[in-house]
Every structure is written in structure tokens, then in C-alpha cells.
Amino acid sequence: MQTPPPQYAAYPRGGGGGPQRRGPGVYFEFIGDAFRRVFANPKAYFGGGGILFGALAVGIIIAYALLFASFAAAGPNQKEITASQIGGIVGFYVILIGLGFVMAVLSQGFCALAIEEADTGSTTISTFFKPMKRFWPLIGTVFITQLLIGLGSILCFVPGFYLSGILVFAPTICVHEGLGPIQSIQKSYEMTKNYAWMMALLVFVATMVGSLGAMACYVGFIFSLPVQYVTLALHYREFREVQPGPFDTQVNLG
């Protein structure tokens, strides 16, 4: 008499809390999924949003205070621009540019939250800070990608729009796969080149969703920005290579 087969079957391990992997593609319905995830775990996502909003608010206040102080010091009768005023203007824009990089680093915290939750079924606010371990490579990746997209946008916008789709995963790859800026950009290209235009459209729509916070005196960014980056992180999860293990994950943030 033959031994009966074991009473189990292999199944795809997509993680406890996230959607099962569907494979590479552009899924606009992930925006709705991102809303559900963000509002189901406010401590993690809104906490991260509050940290990001607070950092930007403090930086903007400092930038404007520096600018106003440099002009106030010159007095009302000053007719020519002074060295202090030039310094104030330069400092103002340096701070704003720096805030852009701060936002780029912190926004990857939302991606880390979403990927961990999708893979394991849960996440906590501590994960939001883990991408900072890759601070300098991430800064380099963001600088190069934004430079390329900016240059492309100057050329009648269309090349910049295309590049926003091609390069969308580069920062996340840098953080989660431990690659340098150039390698991250190359891998993002390889992953998205067959979906570039639709991915660019997704980036545009997700960015519009993330910008909704501006309608609520900018405080709404605490709620809207996480949705933008969670949407993109869930797509990265579909495109990345599957690693063997108890969960379908490549995250290696410590």
C-alpha cells in the first residue's frame, strides 16, 4: 500500500499583509490600495508624514528668516543690494535645495514601510528611519536622477516625462538593494524600459495625489505624501527579483 502524499501544497509566499505578487506591470488600482494601507496604519505612515512635514516646515522658516534678516539689516533707505543681502538670497536657495534632498531621503521611509508591510504583514515607525543608513548613496542617486529629469524637461518636457518613468525605482533600488547611484539607475532602466510611458503616467498621477495636501494648508501632506510613495513602492515590489526565503522580500535594511 502506497504512502499517502503529504497534506500540503506549495504556494506562493507573497507576505502576510500585502497583495500577492502580480509581476511587472502598471497598476493604477494600487493608489487605492495605498490609501487603505496608509489609513489602516496611521502610527507608522502619518508619523512619518509628520516627521517629514516638520522637517520641511522648520527648514522653510529658517530660510525665510535668513532672507528677511538680510534685507532688514540694510535698512529702508538702502538703494543698492549689499553683500549681506546677496548672502541671504544664496542661503535661502541653498536651504531650499537642501530641503529637497531631505525630502527625497525621508520619502524613502514611506517606501520602506510599504515594502516591509507588504512582505511581512506589519510595519512600525522605526522602519521609516532605516533608509538613512544609505544616506550618501541615496543623495547621489537622487541628484543624478533629478538632474537627468530636469534636463529632459527643458527639452520640451517629453524627455523629462519619459525619464521620470524610467528612473522611478532608482532611489528605492539604492536603499533596498545596496547599489550605488549609477548601478541603481541602470537597474531601474532595465526594470522599467518596457513600461516607461505608462510608468511615467503613474508617477504623474501619484504625484498629483501626493500634492493634494497643499489644499489643506500644506498640513495635508502628512496624509497625502505617504500615498504617493506607497503606490510607487508597491510597484517596485512587483518589478524586483524574487529572493528565496520565508518571505518574498529583498529588503536588507538591518
Side-chain angles (χ1 to χ4, degrees), residues 31-254:
I31 296 174
D33 186 31
F35 268 107
R36 289 189 293 272
R37 288 178 177 279
V38 167
F39 282 88
N41 191 353
K43 288 184 179 180
Y45 292 105
F46 295 165
I51 293 168
L52 176 56
F53 178 80
L56 294 179
V58 170
I60 290 172
I61 290 171
I62 293 174
Y64 276 101
L66 176 64
L67 184 64
F68 290 149
S70 67
F71 276 84
N77 298 321
Q78 180 69 42
K79 296 182 179 180
E80 296 181 357
I81 191 167
T82 65
S84 64
Q85 290 172 331
I86 294 174
I89 294 171
V90 172
F92 175 79
Y93 284 105
V94 167
I95 292 174
L96 291 187
I97 293 172
L99 286 176
F101 285 109
V102 169
M103 181 175 176
V105 172
L106 291 180
S107 66
Q108 284 303 309
F110 298 124
C111 294
L113 290 172
I115 293 169
E116 181 177 68
E117 183 181 30
D119 286 336
T120 69
S122 64
T123 189
T124 63
I125 186 63
S126 61
T127 298
F128 181 81
F129 300 98
K130 290 181 179 179
M132 291 185 180
K133 296 178 181 179
R134 297 280 299 163
F135 183 85
W136 290 114
L138 180 55
I139 287 291
T141 304
V142 170
F143 176 78
I144 296 173
T145 55
Q146 293 305 309
L147 178 63
L148 292 173
I149 292 171
L151 292 174
S153 298
I154 294 174
L155 302 174
C156 299
F157 178 74
V158 175
F161 182 78
Y162 175 81
L163 287 171
S164 70
I166 283 288
L167 304 177
V168 62
F169 294 142
T172 307
I173 291 170
C174 175
V175 169
H176 290 270
E177 301 184 29
L179 300 182
I182 301 301
Q183 292 173 306
S184 298
I185 289 171
Q186 290 174 335
K187 186 161 186 178
S188 182
Y189 168 77
E190 291 297 327
M191 292 168 73
T192 61
K193 61 184 179 181
N194 295 328
Y195 304 88
W197 292 109
M198 288 301 295
M199 186 60 68
L201 181 60
L202 174 74
V203 171
F204 176 79
V205 173
T207 301
M208 292 299 100
V209 172
S211 300
L212 292 175
M215 300 173 63
C217 298
Y218 293 95
V219 177
F221 280 135
I222 294 173
F223 313 103
S224 63
L225 277 177
V227 174
Q228 173 184 345
Y229 292 103
V230 169
T231 300
L232 300 179
L234 293 177
H235 278 83
Y236 165 74
R237 183 174 180 265
E238 300 298 331
F239 278 81
R240 72 182 179 193
E241 298 170 356
V242 181
Q243 294 289 316
F247 292 106
D248 175 14
T249 178
Q250 280 186 291
V251 181
N252 185 23
L253 295 176

